[in-house]
Amino acid sequence: MMSTLRISLRAGERIFVNGAVVKADRKTTLEFLNDVTFLLESHVMQAEDATTPLRQLYFIVQMMLMDPANVDESRSLFARSLATMLKTYSNRDILAGLQDMHDMVERGRSFEALKCLRTLIPIEDRILGRPERNVVRPNSGRPVQQETVKPRLVVGGMS
């Protein structure tokens, strides 16, 4: 028998469930009684934050969860990006993590793949000489100062 999964949400918080956006109007607890694909709002990366190859890969995997109707397109972009990254990176921890993450995506475990990617991004930041920061920005409702770099989604590589 499968165990249930309980997720508590604060008022105004959103969760992405099987491609649908659910917003809590008050503090509530959701109980999932069967397999579900979900992504908490606090784990959602905005497109403008996908400024490095691993962040771009995170964004692609995230789209697999958030937009199941276009999962084939996301998987194709994922495969091309991952192939390029495996040829580009030399850091053993990143390469091992990318392989683990690939296996997770192949088994349909995209949520676990995102968790894996969140551990790799700080390594990438150190390699790139970037100050460490949160992988995803918390949704506080306050404006966030934008970086001066214009983000663009590229297929792998460093741009």
Side-chain angles (χ1 to χ4, degrees), residues 18-133:
N18 292 342
V21 181
V22 178
K23 182 178 178 182
D25 64 349
R26 61 184 154 273
K27 184 177 178 183
T28 189
T29 300
L30 300 175
E31 185 174 5
F32 296 107
L33 303 175
N34 60 350
D35 280 337
V36 64
T37 301
F38 71 93
L39 188 60
L40 296 171
E41 183 176 26
S42 61
H43 293 156
V44 173
M45 180 179 290
Q46 301 302 313
E48 63 267 16
D49 292 329
T51 57
T52 67
L54 287 179
R55 281 182 169 83
Q56 291 168 2
L57 196 60
Y58 185 99
F59 189 80
I60 294 166
V61 174
Q62 168 185 290
M63 293 312 299
M64 290 180 196
L65 289 169
M66 293 176 67
D67 189 10
N70 293 307
V71 73
D72 290 339
E73 184 179 328
S74 295
R75 280 189 182 277
S76 175
L77 184 56
F78 170 80
R80 291 192 311 269
S81 297
L82 180 66
T84 301
M85 286 183 199
L86 288 171
K87 293 176 191 171
T88 303
Y89 282 104
S90 59
N91 180 285
R92 281 187 256 167
D93 292 331
I94 289 180
L95 290 172
L98 286 173
Q99 190 57 56
D100 290 344
M101 189 255 331
H102 174 257
D103 295 341
M104 293 169 196
V105 168
E106 288 298 310
R107 292 190 323 265
R109 309 305 294 182
S110 298
F111 185 78
E112 286 85 359
L114 289 177
K115 285 172 46 176
C116 179
L117 276 165
R118 283 194 296 270
T119 67
L120 299 178
I121 289 173
I123 300 169
E124 179 187 52
D125 284 345
R126 285 192 296 276
I127 291 169
L128 295 174
R130 295 174 59 142
E132 287 190 36
R133 60 186 181 128

